[in-house]
Amino acid sequence: MASLASSDIDILEKAKRALAPDYLPDEGEEYMSPAQQDYFRMLLVEWKRSILESASVTLQSLQDGPIREADLNDRASSETDWGIELRTRDRQRKLISKIDAALRRIDEGEYGYCEVTGDPIGLKRLIARPVATMTVEAQEAHERREKISRDD
């Protein structure tokens, strides 16, 4: 199953902490009620804001100048670190497009429902992965089909 990178999880947790702690979606209320939609909208917007904030820090560091390590080993290590950082930012850029798509689904009233089956995705899954577009079962079936087609 596709998973979030640990830095993405850290940013998501930071976004959850930034929300008002007085509301958390509950299984006992109507699924995708206005309160739940507002919660997920705020969570997605805060998550996107946190990603953009960390990206601006990376951009500022890049603009501060080139790596000036005198020792070749230190320079290689620094360049490797930058490569990892840039790959992380690229992954987060792709995540932002998923966040934007999730926000569009909220606006269109489609958020929280599986794009394959139309069934509710479930609050626990959406809280863990707010950009989810499929139920766990549909996602697993999709990944099995994907694996089979890769093996062919």
Side-chain angles (χ1 to χ4, degrees), residues 19-32:
L19 296 179
D22 57 343
Y23 177 76
L24 188 63
D26 185 273
E27 300 282 342
E29 59 189 324
E30 177 189 350
Y31 188 72
M32 283 301 118

Side-chain angles (χ1 to χ4, degrees), residues 19-72:
L19 296 179
D22 57 343
Y23 177 76
L24 188 63
D26 185 273
E27 300 282 342
E29 59 189 324
E30 177 189 350
Y31 188 72
M32 283 301 118
S33 65
Q36 288 179 358
Q37 290 180 18
D38 288 344
Y39 172 84
F40 286 111
R41 180 179 288 110
M42 288 187 308
L43 177 59
L44 289 161
V45 167
E46 181 61 27
W47 193 13
K48 181 179 175 178
R49 187 198 62 72
S50 296
I51 291 169
L52 292 173
E53 185 179 286
S54 65
S56 70
V57 170
T58 300
L59 182 61
Q60 185 60 45
S61 296
L62 283 172
Q63 291 173 344
D64 286 344
I67 300 170
R68 298 179 194 267
E69 307 289 348
D71 181 65
L72 288 178

Side-chain angles (χ1 to χ4, degrees), residues 1-140:
M1 186 170 356
S3 64
L4 294 170
S6 65
S7 64
D8 296 338
I9 292 170
D10 294 341
I11 292 173
L12 177 57
E13 288 305 315
K14 180 181 172 189
K16 286 178 184 176
R17 286 191 301 273
L19 296 179
D22 57 343
Y23 177 76
L24 188 63
D26 185 273
E27 300 282 342
E29 59 189 324
E30 177 189 350
Y31 188 72
M32 283 301 118
S33 65
Q36 288 179 358
Q37 290 180 18
D38 288 344
Y39 172 84
F40 286 111
R41 180 179 288 110
M42 288 187 308
L43 177 59
L44 289 161
V45 167
E46 181 61 27
W47 193 13
K48 181 179 175 178
R49 187 198 62 72
S50 296
I51 291 169
L52 292 173
E53 185 179 286
S54 65
S56 70
V57 170
T58 300
L59 182 61
Q60 185 60 45
S61 296
L62 283 172
Q63 291 173 344
D64 286 344
I67 300 170
R68 298 179 194 267
E69 307 289 348
D71 181 65
L72 288 178
N73 289 328
D74 290 343
R75 184 178 185 132
S77 178
S78 294
E79 288 177 359
T80 299
D81 291 345
W82 274 114
I84 292 168
E85 182 72 18
L86 292 173
R87 279 194 302 274
T88 299
R89 296 296 162 234
D90 186 52
R91 197 171 50 248
Q92 289 177 341
R93 178 187 55 80
K94 293 173 185 172
L95 180 57
I96 286 175
S97 68
K98 290 180 181 182
I99 291 171
D100 289 339
L103 289 168
R104 272 192 306 279
R105 287 193 308 276
I106 289 173
D107 293 340
E108 295 167 1
E110 299 172 359
Y111 184 79
Y113 295 93
C114 181
E115 65 183 14
V116 175
T117 65
D119 294 335
I121 292 173
L123 292 176
K124 289 180 183 177
R125 177 161 168 77
L126 289 172
I127 289 170
R129 183 160 174 82
V131 295
T133 59
M134 292 185 251
T135 61
V136 171
E137 296 80 13
Q139 182 72 40
E140 288 172 345

